[in-house]
C-alpha cells in the first residue's frame, strides 16, 4: 500500500483502541485496498464505517466515497481522522438499514447473524448492477452483484 493509505489505516487502528464499541472489529486494510484497487472507480458507500478507514482508502484511490456509521463516537472520530489526513468524505451518523444511499459499490463488514438482513437490504435499495462487497471475515471479502 502507498504511504498515505498505510498511515491512515495504522492511525485508525491506534485511535480506535480509545473507543469502546462492542461492534467495532476492523477489516484487513491491505486486503480491502487490494480489492478496491481492482475495481472501476465509482460511487462507494461503506455501511458501518467505523473509523472511516475503508472510506478513506477508497477516496485515496479515486472513488466517490462516503460512510454510514451508527455509533456517534466512531462517526465523530472517523471524521477527525479523515480530516487529519486531508480527506473529507461524507460520514453520516445513522443506520444503514434505514438510510437510503444509492451508489455503485457497497462495502460492509457486519456480524454473521446480520448478513442476510444486509443482503436483503442491498437487494431492495441498490441500483441495478451495483456491487455488494461483504466481509465473511476480516480478510474474506465476497462480491454480490445486483442483477
Ligand atoms: C465490524 S465493524 C467494521 C468497521 C469497518 N467497516 C471496517 O471494515 O473496518 C462494523 C461497524 O458497523 C457499525 N454498524 C453496525 N450496525 C450498523 C448499522 N445498522 N448502521 C450503521 N452502522 C452499523 C458498527 O458500529 C461498526 O463500526
Amino acid at each position: 500500500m502507498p504511504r498515505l493509505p498505510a498511515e491512515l489505516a495504522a492511525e485508525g487502528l491506534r485511535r480506535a483502541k480509545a473507543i469502546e464499541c462492542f461492534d467495532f472489529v476492523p477489516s484487513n486494510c491491505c486486503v480491502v485496498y487490494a480489492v478496491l484497487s481492482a475495481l472501476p472507480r465509482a460511487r462507494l458507500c461503506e455501511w458501518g464505517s467505523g473509523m472511516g478507514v475503508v472510506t478513506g482508502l477508497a477516496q485515496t484511490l479515486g472513488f466517490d466515497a462516503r460512510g454510514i456509521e451508527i455509533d456517534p463516537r466512531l462517526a465523530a472520530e472517523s471524521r477527525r481522522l479523515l480530516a487529519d489526513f486531508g480527506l473529507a468524505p461524507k460520514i453520516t451518523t445513522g443506520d444503514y438499514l434505514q438510510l437510503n444511499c444509492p451508489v455503485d459499490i457497497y462495502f460492509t463488514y457486519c456480524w454473521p447473524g446480520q448478513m442476510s438482513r444486509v443482503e436483503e437490504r442491498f437487494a431492495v435499495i441498490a441500483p441495478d448492477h451495483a456491487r455488494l462487497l461483504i466481509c465473511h471475515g476480516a480478510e474474506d471479502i465476497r462480491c454480490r452483484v445486483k442483477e
Side-chain angles (χ1 to χ4, degrees):
M1 229 195 292
R3 192 166 152 188
L4 176 85
E7 287 180 358
L8 168 70
E11 185 61 11
L13 277 182
R14 195 185 69 76
R15 294 190 195 182
K17 289 187 184 136
I19 303 170
E20 272 182 40
C21 176
F22 167 73
D23 210 5
F24 180 71
V25 179
S27 50
N28 182 309
C29 57
C30 296
V31 176
V32 173
Y33 194 84
V35 168
L36 293 181
S37 299
L39 291 173
R41 305 314 185 243
R43 297 169 300 165
L44 178 148
C45 182
E46 184 181 10
W47 274 351
S49 45
M51 286 298 291
V53 168
V54 173
T55 305
L57 296 183
Q59 195 176 62
T60 67
L61 281 164
F63 289 87
D64 176 7
R66 56 177 295 186
I68 300 175
E69 171 53 48
I70 205 163
D71 186 306
R73 294 158 307 169
L74 282 170
E77 272 307 314
S78 68
R79 289 185 199 105
R80 247 189 299 277
L81 174 73
L82 292 162
D84 289 348
F85 281 82
L87 302 168
K90 185 172 180 197
I91 303 289
T92 303
T93 307
D95 181 349
Y96 62 72
L97 295 171
Q98 307 276 336
L99 293 171
N100 202 3
C101 175
V103 294
D104 310 295
I105 301 171
Y106 297 81
F107 176 92
T108 193
Y109 184 13
C110 60
W111 291 108
Q114 262 195 322
M115 275 186 193
S116 43
R117 228 173 134 208
V118 168
E119 289 179 346
E120 277 162 27
R121 175 88 181 137
F122 169 73
V124 170
I125 62 115
D128 286 348
H129 311 300
R131 289 181 168 94
L132 174 66
L133 299 176
I134 185 162
C135 296
H136 284 240
E139 298 175 4
D140 179 359
I141 303 172
R142 303 188 192 177
C143 181
R144 186 176 278 271
V145 179
K146 181 159 172 189
E147 302 300 341

